[in-house]
Amino acid sequence: MFLWKLCMSDSKIIVALDYPTSDAALALAKQLDPLRCRLKIGKELFTRSGPAVVEALVYQGFDIFLDLKYHDIPHTVAKACSAAADLGVWMMNVHTLGGGAMMIAAREAIGKQSDRPLLIGVTLLTSMDQSTFEQIGLQGSLTDTVLRLAKLADDSGLDGVVCSAQEATQLRSQRGNDFQLITPGIRPANSEQGDQHRTMTPADAIAAGSSYLVIGRPITAAEDPMAALVSIEQSLL
Ligand code: C5P
């Protein structure tokens, strides 16, 4: 339990801190309010800056989604999840392709207490198309596989999955209201698409059933990141 976490954010917006250095990440975080958003730390920032940047942002009051997509034998993933929980993160993820035993071990490792981190599964990476899917020996349709892996995640005790907002309606109807759907690929109307292809606006993604929106460049590349965040918040009212 982290005593400095006196106030909890209820924001649905997770800002992706895709930076190569902790100085750049901390400078962006300084412009944001921990009550108005949560932050995602991924592999680049974590590999370069390590647990120190996570602890610094947790100390500043931010809810942190540690996006390291653990995928290994059950024992190793359980130990990694336990270590992430010790950093005080709010959410972390594992790869559902690691299988049910791995997910169950991960879930057991983060404990039962009410302030435990949320444990989320990555189903199929959105970079995977039909040919890469078949290349690794998977068969059937990508969508059916995502739905099946989400069910396995749910049955293994995970709190939800990362998915495309385009899959959210189907997942929401199959998995019910308590299952968390974390959706990247969000673009406010009139913002740059960048390298994202199948995007949705924040309001449409929430209407489709998303629980949390992962948003990077529309906020981090804005001249005034807090103003960009407020404008997205207002679009959700
Ligand atoms: O800048 P942008 O809003 O495109 O950032 C989206 C974030 O979500 C990035 O950190 C990206 O790695 C992550 N992500 C994604 N698509 C996925 C899974 C994660 O864009 N399927």
Side-chain angles (χ1 to χ4, degrees):
M1 170 65 174
F2 289 78
L3 296 177
W4 54 83
K5 296 224 70 176
L6 298 175
C7 308
M8 298 297 284
S9 169
D10 62 1
S11 176
K12 293 178 183 305
I13 300 171
I14 303 174
V15 179
L17 281 186
D18 292 325
Y19 291 103
T21 66
S22 60
D23 284 353
L26 294 171
L28 190 277
K30 215 170 180 179
Q31 300 176 66
L32 299 172
D33 178 345
L35 289 177
R36 310 276 288 269
C37 65
R38 305 161 194 268
L39 302 176
K40 178 173 90 69
I41 294 180
K43 288 190 170 90
E44 181 189 12
L45 181 58
F46 190 80
T47 302
R48 290 198 181 276
S49 302
V53 69
V54 178
E55 287 170 326
L57 290 166
V58 170
Y59 188 74
Q60 288 173 27
F62 285 99
D63 281 343
I64 302 297
F65 170 19
L66 189 62
D67 178 20
L68 298 181
K69 302 181 181 70
Y70 297 125
H71 185 178
D72 209 314
I73 60 171
H75 177 76
T76 301
V77 168
K79 292 292 183 190
C81 287
S82 173
D86 288 346
L87 292 177
V89 305
W90 158 73
M91 178 183 279
M92 68 179 84
N93 57 6
V94 298
H95 216 301
T96 59
L97 289 172
M102 187 204 79
M103 288 190 271
I104 290 167
R107 178 64 192 79
E108 282 172 0
I110 59 169
K112 292 191 170 66
Q113 69 283 14
S114 60
D115 61 348
R116 69 167 175 83
L118 293 171
L119 184 63
I120 301 299
V122 174
T123 55
L124 293 181
L125 296 169
T126 45
S127 55
M128 184 169 276
D129 60 12
Q130 193 68 34
S131 73
T132 28
F133 178 77
E134 286 168 12
Q135 188 181 48
I136 58 169
L138 294 174
Q139 289 175 346
S141 85
L142 289 165
T143 304
D144 288 349
T145 304
V146 167
L147 296 173
R148 197 179 68 247
L149 290 169
K151 178 178 187 312
L152 180 63
D154 199 0
D155 292 346
S156 305
L158 267 58
D159 298 295
V161 291
V162 180
C163 65
S164 142
Q166 330 271 337
E167 296 154 355
T169 306
Q170 237 179 322
L171 280 165
R172 177 64 63 222
S173 77
Q174 290 198 358
R175 304 261 58 85
N177 287 336
D178 293 338
F179 199 64
Q180 309 290 331
L181 301 178
I182 320 299
T183 56
I186 303 298
R187 287 292 178 269
N190 305 323
S191 76
E192 297 278 333
Q193 299 292 301
D195 50 4
Q196 297 281 12
H197 296 300
R198 296 191 306 143
T199 61
M200 250 197 216
T201 66
D204 286 348
I206 293 292
S210 297
S211 314
Y212 295 101
L213 311 172
V214 176
I215 307 178
R217 289 159 290 181
I219 293 173
T220 58
E223 208 165 297
D224 180 343
M226 191 62 207
L229 172 63
V230 169
S231 154
I232 293 170
E233 270 176 356
Q234 283 166 352
S235 76
L236 296 178
L237 296 177

